[in-house]
Amino acid sequence: MKGEKAMEVSGGEQGAGLNFRMDPEGRTLIATVQPAPASLPIDEDWLRARLAELGYGDLRYLPAAATQLLANYNSGSPVEVRLAEAVDASLSISLSPDDLEAWLSIQPAQGGAPVTHEAVLAALAEQGIEQGIQIDAIDAAITAGSAHNVVIARGRPPQHGKDGWLASLLPEARSRAPRIDETGHTDYRDLGEILVVHAGDSLMQRHPPTEGSYGLTLHGEAIPADPGKEVFFATNLAGSLPAPDNPDLLQASCTGQPLIVPGGMIVEPVFKSAAVDTSSGNIEFDGSVVIRGDVAAGMTVRASGDIEIGGVVEMATLEAGGSIVIKGGVIGGLGRKSSGEQHRIVCGGCFNAAYAQQAVIEAGDSIFIDDVAMQCELTAINHIRVGNKRRGHIIGGSARATLSIRAKVIGSPHRVATHLEIGVNPLMHKEQLAKADERDGKENQLLEISKLMAFATAHPGKLGPEMLEKARKTAAVLSADIAALRQAEEMLTKRIELAKGSRVIVEQAVYEGADVHMGNQRYRVVGEHGPCAIGLGKAGLCLLALEDAG
């Protein structure tokens, strides 16, 4: 505290007759006025500046007292007032609703004593907080002189258990779901050989949930952790069964191709043939088909799984529930018919081939052709890409894809008509609604089972253990199905959103004769252009710089 100070000034100047003294007991600053002749008037700015000059600027200023002091001084009336006072810093500690954090607030001192380290610890101790104290945070707040809800103590939150999970023991096993990343791109790699497993081979391991670890509040009270949820293998997984001596291990029960599905892995049988012609006959197989050689004209190959062909496909029909890989090329008969039937190639996954000519190809995911697609009808839900290590030409015909069509060269200098369509496939909206309806049905089933299990918990012994165990397993299967449907819905939503930015991407050249459609909009290529993209711009469907292709 400062001792008494008085201002000695000559008559006629500001502050004449104004004196200050510090009352150490009351910790207040006393100001007195003794009228002086010919003194100049003073205002609040002058008064505050004078207090700061004398070292009283940190005290808490009392505006009402200052108003009285200024009025008396300027009117020449004597007065004595408490003009300012020393105030110590104060602190408060509050707790978060979950009792896991203590928050410190400090009101800074005004000419008084600051908050001390010991005072903060004492305040914590008063609230019964002796663990999780963060000394560095306390010291930083004290050094700053003020604080607002600074965390100075933390309890230990519970670590909830991890849900059980299914881990594939075959890193190369494929999934039936289309592979599409956040940017809408699909993996362009060759699908390669079909992986084959044999009866007794290990496929997938079921890992149990973890219990988690309990937490502690700031007062040392335990916070229970929620255990993870069980996961079960789906029932009726074709071609696979839990091991006889280990229900957590899924094994192949036959020879075939392993495929990851919701709730586990199935094994689709694999049919192998040297070639498909009149000597072998048509092939229709519930599983995957591997053909080492060619597929002759007029033949048909149908498979519920994948089809892999090592040679060339002539004017034939291929239908696959999965993907189709043709190591050679496709020579179709677009515009020609054999036995009154238009031959085509249809697959639920991706289509891969070296080249295609006059072929009708439809893919539930994407189409990848390495060399040339000439006078073909190509339709893909996601992407069409022509050209990887080879020429990459789309010449004539049509190509339709929701997200992108990409080639090195589109059209030809001879102005061959080449029709391209991009944008949202209306079937995706229909599929999205169908999956939402299916999910609602399963959620209603799960709700009813949950009510049954809640009844069993509330009334022990009312339900037999076998029924209760069956209910638990059914609930686990329904939960896995619902999660898979939600994931599929999210993917469809993302694909629909990505479709708004769909593009035709040309890496080298596009020629007159090519035209692009997107909904009711159309863009006709006039002349020849180098690397570019065609998509929605400010002026509608238009030519864009290649760097704007995304």
Side-chain angles (χ1 to χ4, degrees), residues 240-262:
S240 62
L241 289 170
D245 58 346
N246 184 0
D248 294 330
L249 178 65
L250 191 68
Q251 291 182 331
S253 59
C254 64
T255 298
Q257 177 190 14
L259 293 166
I260 297 173
V261 296

Side-chain angles (χ1 to χ4, degrees), residues 40-392:
L40 297 177
I42 61 176
D43 57 19
E44 189 169 9
D45 290 339
W46 180 92
L47 181 60
R48 284 180 176 273
R50 188 59 175 154
L51 291 178
E53 181 183 342
L54 294 173
Y56 297 128
D58 290 339
L59 298 175
R60 182 162 70 185
Y61 185 73
L62 303 176
T67 299
Q68 182 182 357
L69 176 69
L70 292 172
N72 282 58
Y73 181 87
N74 290 327
S75 65
S77 304
V79 72
E80 181 176 283
V81 297
R82 294 171 61 253
L83 183 59
E85 60 187 0
V87 179
D88 293 339
S90 63
L91 68 91
S92 63
I93 292 176
S94 55
L95 301 183
S96 62
D98 58 8
D99 207 19
L100 285 174
E101 288 185 347
W103 302 322
L104 171 66
S105 294
I106 297 176
Q107 291 292 333
Q110 292 179 283
V115 166
T116 64
H117 184 93
E118 292 74 16
V120 176
L121 295 180
L124 289 171
E126 285 180 8
Q127 298 206 35
I129 301 170
E130 297 180 354
Q131 59 182 2
I133 297 174
Q134 300 185 348
I135 300 299
D136 290 344
I138 294 174
D139 291 341
I142 291 173
T143 301
S146 66
H148 178 68
N149 285 347
V150 174
V151 178
I152 59 168
R154 291 185 189 275
R156 187 179 73 202
Q159 299 296 320
H160 297 302
K162 181 180 179 181
D163 291 345
W165 72 99
L166 305 178
S168 171
L169 301 178
L170 303 172
E172 297 177 0
R174 298 180 193 164
S175 171
R176 274 282 181 254
R179 296 175 304 280
I180 179 171
D181 64 19
E182 293 181 356
T183 63
H185 294 104
T186 305
D187 187 2
Y188 293 142
R189 66 182 176 86
D190 186 340
L191 292 180
E193 301 292 333
I194 291 177
L195 176 66
V196 175
V197 295
H198 303 279
D201 287 350
S202 297
L203 303 177
M204 186 168 276
Q205 180 73 41
R206 185 176 82 99
H207 293 271
T210 61
E211 292 296 325
S213 57
Y214 69 90
L216 283 176
T217 69
L218 291 171
H219 296 99
E221 298 172 353
I223 305 174
D226 295 333
K229 298 178 182 178
E230 286 276 3
V231 64
F232 297 95
F233 290 123
T235 56
N236 301 322
L237 291 172
S240 62
L241 289 170
D245 58 346
N246 184 0
D248 294 330
L249 178 65
L250 191 68
Q251 291 182 331
S253 59
C254 64
T255 298
Q257 177 190 14
L259 293 166
I260 297 173
V261 296
M265 191 178 292
I266 64 173
V267 177
E268 288 186 340
V270 177
F271 178 87
K272 295 185 178 182
S273 176
V276 177
D277 50 29
T278 54
S279 63
S280 68
N282 296 326
I283 294 175
E284 187 162 346
F285 186 67
D286 186 11
S288 296
V289 173
V290 177
I291 301 165
R292 292 191 297 274
D294 301 333
V295 177
M299 305 307 296
T300 298
V301 179
R302 291 188 175 94
S304 62
D306 296 339
I307 296 176
E308 180 183 310
I309 299 169
V312 173
V313 176
E314 297 182 10
M315 196 170 58
T317 295
L318 304 180
E319 294 181 9
S323 297
I324 294 178
V325 178
I326 302 174
K327 299 298 179 70
V330 179
I331 303 173
L334 191 60
R336 294 178 289 165
K337 291 187 177 181
S338 174
S339 301
E341 180 184 0
Q342 177 69 62
H343 295 283
R344 62 178 189 160
I345 296 173
V346 181
C347 63
C350 290
F351 173 86
N352 279 257
Y355 64 87
Q357 180 177 338
Q358 292 183 301
V360 179
I361 301 170
E362 299 175 14
D365 189 338
S366 299
I367 293 174
F368 306 114
I369 297 172
D370 195 19
D371 190 14
V372 175
M374 181 176 292
Q375 296 294 352
C376 294
E377 288 185 7
L378 308 178
T379 303
I381 295 297
N382 287 330
H383 304 275
I384 294 175
R385 175 167 180 152
V386 180
N388 185 15
K389 298 179 181 179
R390 301 170 73 176
R391 288 178 292 176

